[in-house]
Amino acid sequence: MTRACSLLSGLSSQGLAGKQTWRKAGLAALGITGMALAGCADQSPSAGGGVSKPVASHKIGVLLPLSGPNAGLGHELLAGAQLAVGTTASADPTGLQLDVHDTAAAGGASGAATVAVSAGDGLLLGPLTSGDTAVAAPAAQSAGIPVLAFTSDISQARSGVWIMGITPEDQVQRLVEQARQDGRRKFAALLPNTPLGHALGNGLQSACHDQGLPEPTIVYHSGTAASISQSLRDISDYDTRLQAAKGNSGEPTPYTPDAATADADAAKTADKLPSNLAAALGTDSNSAVPTDAPKADTPKLEAPPFDALLLGDTGLNLRNVIVALNETQISLPSVRIMGPGLWAAFATKLGAIKGAWYAAPDPTTRQAFVTHFMAVNHHMPKPLADLSYDAANVAKTVAQSGVSGYPASALTRSDGFSGVNGPFTLLPDGRVRRALGVFEVIGGGSPAKMQSAPAKASAISG
């Protein structure tokens, strides 16, 4: 049985339905969609894909939940795909047309894929979730039909199955690339023990390997203030640094609050999160990150054994991480703090980690799509529609290039494709590299500024 699992709160697939659906889906353009829809699905074995010759049809199969609790999401993605193909598809000499199948109907995603293959579809767009992708891909691969799935679960990527969501791995690759250019070489990570945390950790390992950097130090915390504090002390060699500072200065041992005190102090400094952000984070807490460093009688410590630190928390846990950063004296200029694209949703509240970076698309690139979508559909597009538009635009671009069907050589062309959020390239192993910008938190209640503009994504292996 498959299920979609939120990275932030373990939401079931049913949790995507209802009024909160669009709020969670709003994280899509940052790849969290990716994980919210990618989640903890049961995994099926990799399909054989022994058929080397793809079908020649330019008919596009679309696999989406068009009934049931996720029907709203499905119809929004369908609208995105239809917008890319246009209204004149029936007259298109390439024969481009959408063949839509409901993954929530009897037979599920597997049955929908089988029907699409039997109907002669030359390319499949969808399904929506990681679990559905796992069960739909085998039928497509056996027939040599490519799949452009809307999940960001990198474990589903393989030859012939591309992951269209902006993945945590992609974000980390971009951050490490920029940090390396900034002279950073020793990377570490303090991450939550969640699917998102592990996706970020795996991405950091791959990025350091790909870019010729030393193996990063990665620690996962359990989510309590005590676990966060102790984990950061461990990876930063806090005790050693403190003893060295005391030996040099003779200053007293600092006061260290226990977990209960830390939680109480953090609650006192909390600001209210916007209600939609609280919903997106999957928490009933109205707390935000503290804006002032906790007072502690601590001597100045030397730099920790890393010069870049990746974080993955939001909400209450991020507040506790910031308290621990202050306690352990981890900040610029000695350490560059980096985090997930989720931070874009509340960057104005991150003044306590001024100078921190996150990777995300340039939001200005989406405006033309928004205008076009609203003109046709009469409502603002949800970020999930970006993915289906991009996937359908790949199909349209390849079909209009004059090739027969959708061969891998055409899908993985070096020029890549134009996307709602900027250019992207399909890699032979099923991953998708997108042009992401690096944004810097500037504090003072101001939005983050683009520190480095998106560049054409490189096809880094690993």
Side-chain angles (χ1 to χ4, degrees):
M1 178 179 181
T2 62
R3 59 192 177 94
C5 176
S6 167
L7 292 180
L8 300 178
S9 58
L11 296 172
S12 67
S13 59
Q14 288 78 10
L16 290 171
K19 294 182 179 179
Q20 302 302 324
T21 296
W22 303 122
R23 293 171 180 172
K24 297 179 183 73
L27 302 173
L30 302 175
I32 300 313
T33 258
M35 297 298 299
L37 296 176
C40 312
D42 297 332
Q43 302 295 306
S44 64
S46 176
V51 178
S52 59
K53 182 180 178 181
V55 296
S57 171
H58 280 145
K59 188 166 65 170
I60 308 167
V62 181
L63 311 183
L64 290 170
L66 301 175
S67 61
N70 295 328
L73 286 171
H75 283 283
E76 186 78 354
L77 271 81
L78 179 58
Q82 290 170 332
L83 191 66
V85 171
T87 58
T88 60
S90 60
D92 192 318
T94 63
L96 192 67
Q97 58 181 294
L98 298 182
D99 180 28
V100 183
H101 304 274
D102 184 3
T103 58
S110 177
T114 300
V115 172
V117 170
S118 299
D121 295 344
L123 174 71
L124 300 187
L125 310 186
L128 178 60
T129 69
S130 173
D132 279 356
T133 301
V135 299
Q141 287 192 287
S142 295
I145 299 175
V147 177
L148 304 182
F150 301 134
T151 178
S152 289
D153 181 0
I154 200 66
S155 72
Q156 295 302 327
R158 67 201 71 165
S159 178
V161 181
W162 282 271
I163 304 306
M164 294 301 295
I166 303 176
T167 65
E169 181 214 34
D170 219 11
Q171 296 173 41
V172 176
Q173 284 277 5
R174 183 69 177 92
L175 288 170
V176 171
E177 178 184 34
Q178 189 63 36
R180 180 175 54 82
Q181 293 175 5
D182 192 43
R184 312 283 168 169
R185 292 194 54 81
K186 296 177 291 185
F187 288 77
L190 174 67
L191 301 168
N193 188 21
T194 63
L196 172 60
H198 284 277
L200 291 166
N202 292 339
L204 182 60
Q205 286 184 316
S206 295
C208 288
H209 176 268
D210 294 343
Q211 300 184 41
L213 297 166
E215 183 79 9
T217 301
I218 301 174
V219 173
Y220 298 94
H221 64 76
S222 66
T224 67
S227 173
I228 289 170
S229 177
Q230 188 59 53
S231 296
L232 192 55
R233 285 168 176 260
D234 290 343
I235 63 172
S236 68
D237 289 344
Y238 176 77
D239 290 341
T240 300
R241 294 160 58 219
L242 178 61
Q243 289 301 318
K246 287 170 60 179
N248 292 334
S249 67
E251 295 192 31
T253 302
Y255 162 69
T256 304
D258 59 21
T261 303
D263 284 341
D265 290 345
K268 292 177 183 177
T269 61
D271 297 319
K272 284 191 174 182
L273 283 173
S275 59
N276 62 333
L277 177 57
L281 299 180
T283 175
D284 294 328
S285 171
N286 285 324
S287 59
V289 297
T291 55
D292 298 315
K295 292 180 173 62
D297 186 13
T298 310
K300 182 173 177 56
L301 308 183
E302 63 183 17
F306 49 82
D307 52 23
L309 178 67
L310 177 66
L311 306 177
D313 284 292
T314 57
L316 174 63
N317 281 351
L318 178 56
R319 188 184 59 204
N320 291 333
V321 168
I322 292 174
V323 170
L325 290 172
N326 292 330
E327 290 175 347
T328 54
Q329 297 186 23
I330 296 175
S331 63
L332 285 172
S334 59
V335 178
R336 174 71 67 183
I337 303 299
M338 307 181 300
L342 271 174
W343 286 1
F346 52 99
T348 58
K349 292 181 171 289
L350 295 177
I353 47 174
K354 179 179 179 180
W357 288 352
Y358 62 84
D362 179 354
T364 63
T365 62
R366 191 174 185 257
Q367 190 54 50
F369 168 73
V370 171
T371 301
H372 189 191
F373 189 98
M374 289 182 66
V376 174
N377 297 287
H378 311 295
H379 70 267
M380 284 285 290
K382 313 305 177 187
L384 279 172
D386 300 7
L387 304 182
S388 57
Y389 182 95
D390 285 356
N393 191 52
V394 168
K396 182 177 182 179
T397 302
V398 172
Q400 292 179 342
S401 72
V403 301
S404 177
Y406 294 95
S409 59
L411 293 170
T412 59
R413 64 183 197 169
S414 59
D415 289 344
F417 300 90
S418 297
V420 171
N421 295 289
F424 62 93
T425 303
L426 275 60
L427 305 186
D429 62 2
R431 291 177 299 154
V432 176
R433 282 281 177 257
R434 294 181 178 269
L436 301 178
V438 174
F439 292 79
E440 182 172 325
V441 175
I442 61 176
S446 299
K449 67 177 180 181
M450 187 180 293
Q451 193 272 341
S452 179
K456 184 177 180 181
S458 57
I460 300 173
S461 62

